[in-house]
Amino acid sequence: MGKWRICCVVSALVLIISVVVLVTLYFTLFKPKDPNIIVQSVTLQSTTIRVVLFPYQDIEGNATIGLTVTVDNRNYGGFKYHNATAFINYRGNLVAEAPIGEDSISPRSKHNISTSVIVFAHELAADDHFLSDFFSGVFNFTSSTTLHGKVNVFNIFKFKASSSRNCNISVSLQNQTADSVCTSKIKF
């Protein structure tokens, strides 16, 4: 009877120590961290805008914005995401969508995501502030993207996660440049 009791006590201690070590690792080393979003370039690739005043008022054309963003994955788990769409808004109205292809981000690494967005001028022109922004030469946009996928930690732990990113983008027509500030969140 004494040998069984010692075996049970040792097994219980090993189990308790293992749980304490795993919980400690989770809350220190493996605690999920939001990825850093670093905007490498936001470029105005082309613009063709034509204002028609007679016989009716209309604005035609488009602007193509090239986006390259580096995602700095500070976690010990890789993230494989599915196809997604980035939504671009102008003063709260949806004016463009950009596809983001399925890909993966390795653990503790940086990964570039690039896409082109075609913004249609007639969608912009529907806003009352369009002409004042056009003549000032600056347009302010917001973009939002949510990537759904799976996190893989050491090929042992796999679970669903989503990463959302919101950006404020300011496009200058005169300088043909664009600046942006982005924030991101990851949810498990």
Side-chain angles (χ1 to χ4, degrees):
M1 187 64 138
K3 290 180 183 180
W4 285 105
R5 181 177 263 173
I6 292 173
C7 182
C8 288
V9 169
V10 169
S11 296
L13 285 175
V14 168
L15 181 63
I16 291 171
I17 291 172
S18 297
V19 168
V20 168
V21 167
L22 289 174
V23 168
T24 303
L25 283 174
Y26 176 78
F27 284 110
T28 56
L29 190 60
F30 299 126
K31 182 178 181 182
K33 300 169 192 78
D34 292 333
N36 287 330
I37 303 294
I38 304 151
V39 178
Q40 295 300 332
S41 67
V42 179
T43 58
L44 189 58
Q45 294 175 340
S46 67
T47 57
T48 54
I49 297 177
R50 188 176 74 152
V51 178
V52 179
L53 298 175
F54 185 78
Y56 55 89
Q57 276 188 306
D58 193 18
I59 297 176
E60 301 171 345
N62 63 50
T64 303
I65 300 172
L67 300 171
T68 301
V69 177
T70 298
V71 179
D72 182 7
N73 183 8
R74 304 177 298 154
N75 296 295
Y76 284 91
F79 182 59
K80 182 174 182 172
Y81 58 90
H82 308 294
N83 290 335
T85 303
F87 299 98
I88 311 295
N89 292 293
Y90 170 68
R91 295 190 178 265
N93 298 317
L94 182 65
V95 294
E97 295 179 357
I100 298 173
E102 182 175 311
D103 207 349
S104 62
I105 302 171
S106 300
R108 311 228 4 116
S109 67
K110 294 181 180 180
H111 180 75
N112 287 337
I113 298 174
S114 299
T115 191
S116 291
V117 181
I118 297 174
V119 180
F120 295 103
H122 65 275
E123 296 289 336
L124 292 171
D127 190 278
D128 294 338
H129 298 95
F130 173 76
L131 287 178
S132 62
D133 288 347
F134 179 76
F135 289 121
S136 73
V138 177
F139 286 97
N140 294 309
F141 299 95
T142 58
S143 73
S144 60
T145 308
T146 300
L147 301 175
H148 298 282
K150 289 189 178 182
V151 173
N152 183 351
V153 181
F154 300 126
N155 288 330
I156 298 171
F157 306 107
K158 297 178 183 179
F159 43 93
K160 292 182 180 181
S162 65
S163 176
S164 59
R165 178 180 73 208
N166 296 306
C167 297
N168 293 320
I169 303 167
S170 179
V171 177
S172 171
L173 296 177
Q174 294 140 344
N175 301 334
Q176 299 276 313
T177 60
D179 296 314
S180 69
V181 176
C182 297
T183 58
S184 63
K185 277 279 195 211
I186 192 164
K187 295 180 183 177
F188 296 96

